[in-house]
Amino acid sequence: MVNAYFLLNSVLNLLGGLVALAVSYYAYRYGRVTGSGFLKTLSLGFMMLGVGLLAQASAFIFFDLDAGKIADRGIFVYSATLVYLALQAVAYLMIAVSYSRRVQGGLKIAAAAAAVGALQIASTPSSLLLFGTHVLEFGELILVVLVALIVFQGLLIYGENRNRLALTVMGAFALILLAHIAKLSASLLSSGLLYLAGDLVQLTGFGLLLLFVLRSGPDGGN
Amino acid sequence: MAGTEKQRSTIRIYLDILLATEDEGNAKPTRILQRANLPHDRMMKHVSELQKRGLLDEVNNGESRYYTITDKGKTFVRELQRAEAFLSAFGVAL
């Protein structure tokens, strides 16, 4: 049962990672055609997000981790989780910054959010970060702030252009935000089921991103 | 800012010229000029660049000069339209 839980969790992250890489590929492809710096940054952001999700999924699949082994390999799991959360945080920050170019003041908000996050990290005792019990919550909190910023920017853009694709992207990030709130709550409440629900909602968000790629992509019928 | 149209990017101008040529079939320079909304010298500069890239062909039948879009040009137009749709989701214009 426990193994099935970790396997399902890994498969959900694997699928989400593949969708993020697909978005990254199209952003890169269109960035090459148009020479758009925005698309190149966006591509890098989604690539890091995809790699982060795949790294987390493969850590559990290839090392065949279950609850017992996680307890035995505490430092490894902690390090892997830190790397995974850091990759996601950098990825969302890049997406937020590239997104915010179109929204007046958005860049300043993104920079302020990043600065607040960095200050919080700097002011946190290293023992708490590396070996404490709150690293997951702390990482998830940073992700919630960054994704909330992306959703806010998406909302402003949709309000401005009423574009169906903008709505799809904004909806995708809103679901990803909900997923990180669920994961943060799961960590605080030590609820495995809530964490899995968060993964499911996150995958639904990535599903919307896939829909966006298909609609704007080669077979989108534009 | 208010009341002024944002300057079109070069890639947007390329798309406008190629779309005009594709719609017209054999497009005369004056038609491209009207459709792409460009002064003659700038239009010719861009048309020349598009010819160099193999996206447009010039057809000269003695009295008249026309431009036609190549297959490579049509593929480029489709890709730019997809990129435009992709960008629009993030509030970015081509």
Side-chain angles (χ1 to χ4, degrees), chain A residues 81-82 84-86 88-90 92-93 112-114 116-121 123-124 128-129 133-150 176-188 195:
Chain A
T81 307
L82 271 177
Y84 154 69
L85 286 173
Q88 277 200 91
V90 174
Y92 284 127
L93 184 62
V116 168
L119 276 175
Q120 280 183 319
I121 290 169
S123 62
T124 306
L128 181 66
L129 265 180
T133 54
H134 299 294
V135 68
L136 277 173
E137 291 89 332
F138 190 76
E140 285 294 349
L141 188 62
I142 290 176
L143 295 183
V144 165
V145 170
L146 288 171
V147 181
L149 190 68
I150 295 171
I176 292 169
L177 172 63
L178 200 63
H180 283 295
I181 291 171
K183 287 180 185 188
L184 177 60
S185 308
S187 291
L188 292 170
Y195 196 88

Side-chain angles (χ1 to χ4, degrees), chain A residues 138-202:
Chain A
F138 190 76
E140 285 294 349
L141 188 62
I142 290 176
L143 295 183
V144 165
V145 170
L146 288 171
V147 181
L149 190 68
I150 295 171
V151 173
F152 175 67
Q153 288 163 347
L155 198 63
L156 290 180
I157 287 168
Y158 176 67
E160 198 178 88
N161 65 14
R162 298 279 162 188
N163 181 308
R164 201 173 43 138
L165 290 173
L167 180 65
T168 311
V169 171
M170 196 265 288
F173 280 112
L175 284 172
I176 292 169
L177 172 63
L178 200 63
H180 283 295
I181 291 171
K183 287 180 185 188
L184 177 60
S185 308
S187 291
L188 292 170
L189 302 170
S190 300
S191 166
L193 277 179
L194 191 55
Y195 196 88
L196 199 59
D199 273 341
L200 275 168
V201 174
Q202 179 173 264

Side-chain angles (χ1 to χ4, degrees), chain A residues 26 29-30 211-222, chain B residues 82:
Chain A
Y26 279 104
R29 178 172 149 174
Y30 298 145
L211 187 70
F212 155 67
V213 165
L214 293 175
R215 275 183 177 173
S216 64
D219 302 314
N222 284 301
Chain B
R82 287 176 205 131

Side-chain angles (χ1 to χ4, degrees), chain A residues 29-30 33-34 38-39 42 102 157 161 163 165-166 212 216-218 222, chain B residues 6 11 76 79-83 85-94:
Chain A
R29 178 172 149 174
Y30 298 145
V33 175
T34 59
F38 163 80
L39 284 176
L42 196 71
R102 302 304 305 163
I157 287 168
N161 65 14
N163 181 308
L165 290 173
F212 155 67
S216 64
N222 284 301
Chain B
K6 275 186 184 174
I11 205 82
F76 187 69
E79 192 73 351
L80 280 184
Q81 285 175 326
R82 287 176 205 131
F86 192 96
L87 279 165
S88 71
F90 298 94
V92 181
L94 195 62

